[in-house]
Amino acid sequence: MSTLGTPLPAALIPDCTEPEAHHAAYRSAKANDAIFVCITRHGQHWNVELDAMSSSGPTISDEAVAFLRSAVEALVLADTVAQANIAPDYISMRAIESEQRAREIAAAFHAALHGLRQLCIAVPRQC
């Protein structure tokens, strides 16, 4: 069974503020068949980006996307995230107050997306 990489802990989420770092981290995720995740600094705030298209795993179900969307909406309602976009293979969140909080959010969503895709591999009919 494919493992689709490994979820990263907050401390290992790459800072891809510089374009070269972003390109290198994406290439590494693609080479390792892993879900891409990073944080970037924009002014005084931080952003989170996840991209599952860097790996060959299945697209998660609409129900799973709805679950992730509700988590993102909760962060927006709590003013933790100012703006967010979510699709079955891509999540971005903008204007997070601190690097540490951005890392925590990135790690949590990376683990969730990774787990949902692993579940789709293990139980394909549900996905």
Side-chain angles (χ1 to χ4, degrees):
M1 177 181 353
S2 173
T3 60
L4 298 177
T6 303
L8 295 175
L12 297 181
I13 301 293
D15 178 349
C16 293
T17 301
E18 298 299 322
E20 300 81 23
H22 191 279
H23 295 305
Y26 194 87
R27 276 193 310 272
S28 177
K30 197 159 183 65
N32 291 300
D33 198 24
I35 297 167
F36 172 74
V37 60
C38 76
I39 60 169
T40 59
R41 185 178 184 114
H42 187 76
Q44 294 181 347
H45 295 98
W46 290 84
N47 304 323
V48 169
E49 180 182 343
L50 295 107
D51 187 342
M53 292 181 282
S54 61
S55 70
S56 62
T59 299
I60 62 171
S61 67
D62 291 340
E63 293 84 4
V65 172
F67 172 77
L68 292 171
R69 183 172 283 116
S70 69
V72 169
E73 288 170 357
L75 289 171
V76 171
L77 288 173
D79 290 328
T80 302
V81 172
Q83 179 186 7
N85 296 305
I86 183 167
D89 289 321
Y90 184 80
I91 300 170
S92 68
M93 293 171 264
R94 306 278 180 238
I96 301 165
E97 187 173 309
S98 71
E99 177 182 2
Q100 183 58 35
R101 188 66 174 127
R103 287 182 180 285
E104 292 168 356
I105 292 168
F109 277 85
H110 192 240
L113 191 53
H114 181 272
L116 289 167
R117 292 189 87 196
Q118 286 294 108
L119 188 60
C120 286
I121 290 168
V123 189
R125 290 184 189 159
Q126 297 302 313
C127 297

